[in-house]
Amino acid sequence: MIAIYPGSFDPPTLGHIDIIHRAMGIATTLIVAVAINPAKSLMFSPDERVEMLAAICKGMPNVQVTQFSGLLVDFARAQGAKAIIRGLRAVSDFEYEFQMALANRLMDDSIETLFISTNAQYSCLSSSLVKEIAKLGGDPSAMVHKIVLNKMLQKSAGL
Ligand code: PNS
């Protein structure tokens, strides 16, 4: 089964990486798909986000990393995917996630959304929290992969 794991990944956190590890055990091919959303104000370009994820997922044989624009269901259908993977951290995530899953199913009922509950250790993590901590001079090294940490340090140094 081909599955898509979509998200903004700005930047990817250890919570995202944990979901990738677990989803790659369920899917035959897991496509990690970085959403191109020009409306959002983001720290990293889609290419930079793909580059970081591809470096982290190097050596994961059934994981591909790419980017997409437009509707997720259209992208999933074009890839031949049968499932969309989303991580759930807490009840507060549920309403938005449930709404997206239902809307996606109304548009294409051949694609199922599968929720993976986060590892409790990472349930407090979010990309925005990581960015805020880094902006305020904190150390997010327990929250992101070292590849991401280095990229964030380069960004803050204006490199
Ligand atoms: O990491 P995020 O920001 O929670 O991911 C949200 C994402 C990218 C999965 C969602 O915004 C999305 O699917 N965007 C693509 C456009 C789309 O299909 N919108 C309708 C969703 S019901």
Side-chain angles (χ1 to χ4, degrees), residues 35-67:
I36 301 175
N37 183 352
K40 270 195 169 182
S41 104
L42 301 162
M43 184 175 210
F44 295 101
S45 71
D47 285 347
E48 287 174 317
R49 288 177 270 150
V50 167
E51 204 180 291
M52 285 187 280
L53 282 162
I56 294 167
C57 297
K58 209 174 141 201
M60 300 181 192
N62 62 335
V63 179
Q64 300 167 12
V65 183
T66 189
Q67 50 189 279

Side-chain angles (χ1 to χ4, degrees), residues 6-9 16 33-35 37 40 68-73 86 96-97 99-101 103-104 107:
S8 300
F9 303 112
H16 292 128
V34 170
N37 183 352
K40 270 195 169 182
F68 76 102
S69 55
L71 281 176
L72 175 58
V73 281
R86 293 288 288 171
Y96 169 63
E97 293 296 336
Q99 188 185 26
M100 271 208 304
N104 282 334
M107 290 186 278

Side-chain angles (χ1 to χ4, degrees), residues 22-138:
R22 291 158 64 198
M24 70 182 237
I26 300 169
T28 48
T29 301
L30 180 69
I31 302 173
V32 180
V34 170
I36 301 175
N37 183 352
K40 270 195 169 182
S41 104
L42 301 162
M43 184 175 210
F44 295 101
S45 71
D47 285 347
E48 287 174 317
R49 288 177 270 150
V50 167
E51 204 180 291
M52 285 187 280
L53 282 162
I56 294 167
C57 297
K58 209 174 141 201
M60 300 181 192
N62 62 335
V63 179
Q64 300 167 12
V65 183
T66 189
Q67 50 189 279
F68 76 102
S69 55
L71 281 176
L72 175 58
V73 281
D74 289 343
F75 174 73
R77 201 184 303 115
Q79 300 298 314
K82 285 274 156 267
I84 293 168
I85 306 284
R86 293 288 288 171
L88 272 185
R89 287 167 302 191
V91 180
S92 51
D93 280 343
F94 185 76
E95 204 170 317
Y96 169 63
E97 293 296 336
F98 195 53
Q99 188 185 26
M100 271 208 304
L102 293 185
N104 282 334
R105 190 142 65 91
L106 277 180
M107 290 186 278
D108 190 332
D109 65 4
S110 70
I111 303 168
E112 289 292 349
T113 299
L114 306 180
F115 295 114
I116 296 185
S117 56
T118 190
N119 185 323
Q121 190 186 349
Y122 303 129
S123 62
C124 65
L125 291 189
S126 71
S127 298
S128 21
L129 200 73
V130 165
K131 282 185 281 193
E132 184 175 328
I133 290 168
K135 261 184 206 148
L136 296 172

